[in-house]
Amino acid sequence: MASPSRPLLDPEVLARLGTLKLRVRSVTEGILSGLHRSPHHGQSVEFAEHKEYAPGDDVRRIDWKAYGKFDKYYVKQFEQETNLRCHLVVDSSGSMGWKGAPGRLTKLEYGAALAASLAWLLVRQADAAGLLLCAGEVVRSIPPRASAGHLQPILEALSAAVPAGPTRLDAAIDWVVEHAPRRSAVVLISDLFDQDQRLLKQLAQLSRRGHEVTIFHLLDPAELTFPFEEPTLFLSMEDGRSVEAVGREVKQGYLGLMAAWLAGVKREAAEADLDYTLCPTDRPLDEVLLPFLARRERHAA
Amino acid sequence: MIGFLDPALLWGLGAAALPLLVHLFFRRRPRPLAFPAFEFVLRARRQTERRLKLRKLLLFLARTLVLAAVALALARPRAERPETSAAAAAGPAATVILLDASGSMSYRLGGETLFERGRREALAALARLGNQEPVAALLCDGATPRAVAPSFDRAAARQLLSEAQPTALHADLTTCLAAAAQGLGEGRGQERLARRIVVVTDLTATAWRLEAPPPELPGPGGKPVRPEVVVVDAARGAALPNLAVTGLTAEPDAAVGPRGYRVTATVLDAGVERAGEVSLTLRAAGDARPAVRAFLDVPPGATVRKTFSHPFTAGGPAVLTAALPADPLTLDDQRSLTLRVPREVKALVVDGAPSPMKLRDEAWFVEAALTSAASPVRPTLIDAEALAGADLHAFDVVLLLNVRSVGSRAADLEAFVHGGGGLFLSMGDQIDPDEVNRELAALLPLPLHLVKTAAAPGAERGAARLARIDEAHPALAVFTGEAREGLVGARFQRYMLTRPAGRGEPPVVLAAFDDGAPALVEARRGKGRVLLYTSTVDRDWTDWPLRTSFLPAMQRFAGWLSGALDDRRDPPTVVGSPRTLHLEPGRRLAALVGPDGKSRTGRDLGVTSAATADGGADLTFTPLQPGAWQVQVEERGGARLDGALAFAAVIDPRESDTRRLDPAALTAWLGGGGSARVDGWPGGGGGGGPGVPLWSILLAVAVALFLAEAALLA
């Protein structure tokens, strides 16, 4: 749905933007214009060295003890510039390549825009952002880094992502467990059509290990409303199965099953202290990102 | 069992296969669609699969049954009992449509006559027939019904029904129904068809004879079967109250005057509720005002007789009409009667033994009797000598009282009698039997023989009495009961014996003495009559002139001899029955003037003529309108209405009785509900019909199935 006040954040508008870069810029600019101040101030826990103060440095970081000794202003330099390592796990299975209407983004496109925007925002505030593209297995992995030059490979990887294969997110979770020894943020962007019913349990384990897990559950509006009436041959997008059904005849049952499943996912996520957000792909991205960023700010405080 | 009125339409049952055909050949190909939430669709499909299959099956059944029910309904099925009904066979029926055109169908109900309503029903029944159903139309209008085999000439049947007109005749629907059944049986190549008779009638009870055998026709194998009979009530069950004059008679009544009559009208109330007082008027033709008006209270379903006394001012032909106020059936609201009121009888009394003393005068008692106040006779008294110069043709009756000889007038008397005059002969001392026998041989009923003296004059002992009296004779008809005593109480001391009659017409002895000798003998001579009284009309031989019976006896003798006592009541002709009119020589029928005042020629009315021995002609025709008919004759170059030929035509009283027949009795007579039904009668017509129509039920089922299908779709 087009939003008159934030036209560039509307998924339909984004869908008309050809490249992911343009989408990311539209999204982040829209989001930044909506923020009054950045919630991130750059904190580090491990001191590295001093640096002589120069105009423009944060006066709060002046080391007053050093000033007492040397009568000069020194600013503290920390060994680690970022205060967050974020793993952006993007599902690129076959089911993510679907869109319910021609003018709409596919779930993968929507998720890519979401992931890229997050990466940009994180890197901009000196957080490290990494990427995991995952289908039946981890298709592509980019370790988290906080440099601006790190964004380019993330955007390239997201742009090049092709929806294919079954949804097997446990491989991505295993990768995170293996490669993220420190506490980090894990942002899972997926439709959660995982054949493994233990996905949420695995995510809960991640949470228990100290990782901050956020789930962006992407679903096309058509998957939520099932607007089909006529006889249709439904084809599975991840294997060769098919089923013939008259839309209006199975609609009620479908919607019931979908509602029950969503309620179950939400309940399990809440039980495991996972940050869960249902994102219909017609929902403006700022409506998704701003609450997320606000939550992040509260956690950081 | 189930029968169909239009079995050819059963091909429509093929439409019931449409849902199957659509399912097999016109099934929409599903659009392939890759869908991420496939698992949910699959699970939803599995969940609803059983319910959807059942629903689909029900939908398929509902659609199939809707089409089948509509197709069946179009074929007009009906439930029938096999029994012996010819209609039990399913399929088209050979049909005879019988339309009642009797007088009661002229009853006006709701602004139109029952006949018009019935004709519309008959034409509708004709239109409802299928193309494969042969049909014949038959009118039941009082004429002898003719059996007509059904054919496919639908136009002829329609024309007959369209051009039919109601009559004033009585129709016997039982006979008409038998003729219709006979016509059905004569239909060639129709043996395999059902047989149906549609009777459109007002269902009046008098039109049916339920004691007669019901209609039958030869069935397969020669076994008689009953046709299906559908009786359509043109009155739709409505009551048909009707007041009618069903009878009108007139009897001479001397108490009223010389031309007085006692008129009796019979009024019927055929309704079921009391109509209250109704006025009845009696009117004589030519009178501007009603002669009598009376008020009657007729109980429903009963008849009441009302008697009027009406003196006619002049003799001659007359028409009396009794009328009720107009009601829905106007045919019987009035009834006419024609009669010939006797003119004054002119009698020539020839006194054979005149006397200055009245009591001894031969004619005194006779003259006194004939000149009494209520006497229609006007006597002229002469003595025997004056007879020679009397103009006999100026008189109707000549009374020869103790006349010795008529002299030269014997031949004139003979001509007078043969020309229609009356001659009365009484005995006395002046009579010479041989001379009288000689002069009046051709007139005397019996030749005179000699005088018998039974007792001394004035003595009662030994006197003869009248023993055998023909009370049926018009001249003596009044002497019944106590009046007879006045006759048999007379004593006859002397009387003339007679000889046996010669050849020729035998005389009629009206009365005889107790010894068997004739006292009153009558004979016809030519057109006239001769009455021989073998005693005296004075007190010489008998005391009868002193008796009370003498006066009326003499008046009636004079009246009888002049023809005034003849039965002049002209019995009315029932419409539809032939009426014969006798025209004397030299006269010719010019026209007949009907009750509506219109003149019609003999050709218009189909008058047939037959010559008679007297040179005249008997004209016969059939009047179809009730009321008084006048006859216009041509005579000597001029035309005039002859009142003597006027007559009244009356409607059959059965047509006035509009009480309805119980449909249950009718259907029972026709074989029960299995082969007959009465349409248009509230409450189903007394016992059902030849088959219970199922098409309405089927249509209701179709609608219910359609709604069920819609509910399933919803």
Side-chain angles (χ1 to χ4, degrees), chain B residues 175-198:
Chain B
T175 305
C176 292
L177 207 58
Q182 185 186 350
L184 281 175
E186 292 174 355
R188 292 190 176 179
Q190 299 169 8
E191 293 80 6
R192 290 184 171 276
L193 297 176
R195 317 293 178 85
R196 182 193 304 132
I197 301 174
V198 179

Side-chain angles (χ1 to χ4, degrees), chain B residues 633-659:
Chain B
V633 296
E634 283 184 3
E635 190 177 23
R636 293 191 288 272
R640 65 177 179 86
L641 287 174
D642 187 351
L645 293 176
F647 68 95
V650 295
I651 186 173
D652 191 311
R654 287 174 291 183
E655 288 303 309
S656 299
D657 190 351
T658 50
R659 284 172 288 189

